[in-house]
Amino acid sequence: MRMSVIGCGYLGAVHAAAMASIGHDVVGVDVDAARIAALRSGRAPFFEPDLDDLLAAGLASGRLRFTDEMSAASGADIHFLAVGTPQRPGAHAADLRYVDAAVDALVPYLRPGDLLAGKSTVPVGTAAGIAERISPSGAVLVWNPEFLREGWAVHDTITPDRIVVGVPDGADGERAATRLREAYGTALESGAPFLVTDLATAELVKGAANAFLATKVSFINAMAEIAEAVGADVTLLADALGHDTRIGRRYLGSGIGFGGGCLPKDIRAFAARAEELGHGDAVGFLREVDAINLRRRDRAVQMVVDALDGRVHGTRVAVLGAAFKPFSDDIRDSPALEVAVRLRGLGADVVVTDPAALENARALHPQLAYADDRDEALRGADAVVLVTEWDLYRREMDPDRAGALVARRIIVDGRNCLDPSSWRAADWRYHGMGRR
Ligand code: UDX
């Protein structure tokens, strides 16, 4: 099939390359010329495992192109809308300006019978509005939310755990669903369930999925607060809860909480939309989920202060991690960086290191000191804070070797990912979050 992908960020660039890899003829369109230049040369403009290879293969096959000219979308059978929907400045609601601009720019190139498939995360009701705006062109709007995780984006796009397609009622909707089945044929062959819904349900699935995931993380972090008060261990609690298959262990990772370009802003936008609909109370708990999550950052900072006996000013603190999670260079709403910035605000001499996100972190927070190398960050540290669970820190950091580098053997494990006994055995004062 011929496809266009409008918006080539984390979502669109991966989607375009993945669609080309399964045999479609794809053009990616973005207004950011630098991003397009990188993609054209086969370089992902952000850190995403396996994406460079997929881009190179797609470009070499001739089935994948990138451009900043919207006219290139003309002639595609399916146009995927994959632009960002950030948080609106000064509000909790989603900022739909990029969606609106992309739709306006695309409309002149839509032909009767084309499909416009929305993938961006939008407040429920947005799709109905877009459907109305494109209806004079004779194109049909469907909603096809994306559930990819950064760091696993290629895998999640090529072998998704489900495909959700919201379609309009009637014959148009049936034809659209059939066409999308063809588009995703490879994923369906490997067993991905294909769920056809109305437009509003498809929009809701995405918001609800992220709300659920955020709630799960905040639930275990709320338990960490209680565990800490009574001297229990939240990681053992999570293991025990996780054996109940109705609960499951995944996404019960406690620590400094969630961040990134999706969960925080999506739960806020979801709650804001519910309020507009007069049903804010139904998701009032999301405010609590957000508050629990933000409290974790306070708690991590306080733990470092306590570990240094309240004397933070002038001490050297090594912050291991800047990205909001491993296998990513994304620092949007990163709890890791926030902890670093706040410690620096308290007068600590903070040195941040991260295997992928340093360039982004430097650009956003030039006031912090950075070390390209983990050991350089550890050297002379009075305290170490692990805030992004890269293997480099979680698996490959030896307590004795690290101990030889630091000034004082104090470690705060903001991701509860280290084995406390091996660190204590090497004479470290180990502090987990909600762990004995
Ligand atoms: C998330 C959803 O997983 C994805 O389906 C959706 O499309 C976009 O948002 P992503 O933001 O890439 O994806 O990352 P994810 O792996 O879900 O992690 C989100 C945040 O939660 C990270 O900051 C991570 O560190 C944190 N997290 C995750 C925890 O604190 N504990 C966990 O157990 C899991």
Side-chain angles (χ1 to χ4, degrees), residues 207-223 250-253 258 263-264 267 270 282-290 292-293:
N210 279 353
F212 192 89
L213 291 170
T215 303
K216 204 168 174 188
V217 174
S218 277
F219 175 83
I220 202 63
N221 280 331
M223 295 305 107
R250 289 180 71 188
Y251 242 76
L252 284 182
F258 59 81
L263 295 193
I267 60 167
F270 197 67
V283 291
F285 67 93
L286 288 179
R287 276 193 294 274
E288 208 51 54
V289 164
D290 203 0
I292 293 166
N293 190 52

Side-chain angles (χ1 to χ4, degrees), residues 146-150 206 210 213 217 251-253 257-259 262-263 324-325 415:
E146 184 59 62
F147 305 102
L148 64 81
R149 298 159 297 167
E150 286 177 30
K206 178 59 190 273
N210 279 353
L213 291 170
V217 174
Y251 242 76
L252 284 182
F258 59 81
C262 291
L263 295 193
F324 84 104
K325 67 171 196 179
R415 293 294 182 177

Side-chain angles (χ1 to χ4, degrees), residues 23-47:
H24 299 298
D25 186 355
V26 187
V27 60
V29 184
D30 199 292
V31 292
D32 183 335
R35 185 179 287 175
I36 290 298
L39 290 166
R40 269 187 185 153
S41 66
R43 249 181 324 110
F46 42 81
F47 179 92

